[in-house]
Amino acid sequence: MNTTFANPTGHFADADANTIGSLVAKAADLALIVEPDGIVRDVAGKHALLDRIGVANWRGMRLDQILGAAEAADLLALVNAPSSNTSEVTVAHPTTSGAPAMIAYTAADPGIAGQALLFGRDVTQVLSLQERLLAIYRLMEDKLESQKQVEAQYRTLFAIGSEPVLVVNATSGQVTDANRAALTMLNAELNAVSGQPLASLFAKAEQTELSALLGKIQDTNAAASIQVRLLSGTAVTVKATPSWGTDKSLLIQLHHATSGADVI
């Protein structure tokens, strides 16, 4: 939770609406004024980002017309409890360049009845860096001399970012570890998922398909992905990458499913 100014009245008592609007636009990469039903009333932020994600038509649209249903629902939860909700929701916005812009949203109450203010930070580069670090880790892992060194490397990766990641024993298919972001997405604690089959964390109808994917990775030694639903019903993309060290394991990355994509 952020620390506020000790004397905001003394500093901002004479600020008019234009000044406040300008401050918000400069403080956020992307800022949205949203009503409780999900209607976007106004947009502000960095020009380059706004152009890249195409916000020109957002005013008057619902969140579920801009984003996938699961991501829109997550943002709507922030909108309807802006004062008490301290969580952060990261969503993927399609862009004109093809690669999505990853925006992390928090909510605030602007003091206007029936509206909430969503502050968005562009974390695309942060997540890209995390992907590169994961790739470097996989390359380094084969050269590490002991399991202790492997453990230290992947623990470091767990600590650096917000991408949900699980580690699964490739032979048994059981979860051996998970970072905090993954546990938050799964709404579970580590002791509840550790030792459980990865497939058991997903909807029953998806479990056979997911188990088949893990078997395929063992046979091909190549990364693969699938779109499935969690036990909560949330649609996610599961990317599994072999990470053969002193023990055979899989790195499992979870992302909200892209809007409009088919879920297997």
Side-chain angles (χ1 to χ4, degrees), residues 4-5 7 22 34 41 50 88 118 133 145 161-162 183 186 199 230 249 251 253 256 260:
T4 62
F5 289 107
N7 184 24
S22 178
V34 184
R41 285 304 173 198
L50 300 187
E88 182 176 88
L118 294 182
L133 287 171
E145 296 179 356
S162 58
L183 296 173
L186 296 169
L230 298 174
S249 59
L251 290 178
Q253 298 164 260
H256 281 294

Side-chain angles (χ1 to χ4, degrees), residues 186-256:
L186 296 169
N187 192 28
E189 294 298 326
L190 182 58
N191 60 2
V193 301
S194 183
Q196 297 300 313
L198 176 68
S200 69
L201 306 179
F202 297 84
K204 189 172 182 179
E206 322 276 5
Q207 293 179 6
T208 300
E209 198 76 28
L210 187 59
S211 296
L213 177 77
L214 299 185
K216 178 182 176 182
I217 294 172
Q218 279 196 282
D219 294 338
T220 62
N221 194 27
S225 62
I226 190 174
Q227 291 189 9
V228 290
R229 294 187 184 276
L230 298 174
L231 290 175
S232 64
T234 299
V236 297
T237 297
V238 176
K239 181 180 179 182
T241 304
S243 179
W244 310 136
T246 54
D247 63 340
K248 290 185 176 182
S249 59
L250 300 175
L251 290 178
I252 307 297
Q253 298 164 260
L254 304 177
H255 300 280
H256 281 294

Side-chain angles (χ1 to χ4, degrees), residues 137-151 153-154 167-170 221 241-251:
Y137 164 67
R138 294 173 194 130
L139 291 174
M140 292 179 61
E141 188 181 43
D142 290 337
K143 300 178 182 179
L144 294 176
E145 296 179 356
S146 68
Q147 180 61 32
K148 183 178 180 179
Q149 290 173 301
V150 174
E151 178 76 9
Q153 288 294 322
Y154 102 77
V167 179
V168 172
N169 183 285
N221 194 27
T241 304
S243 179
W244 310 136
T246 54
D247 63 340
K248 290 185 176 182
S249 59
L250 300 175
L251 290 178

Side-chain angles (χ1 to χ4, degrees), residues 16-31:
D16 58 19
N18 288 332
T19 300
I20 295 172
S22 178
L23 288 172
V24 170
K26 290 180 179 180
D29 294 321
L30 174 63

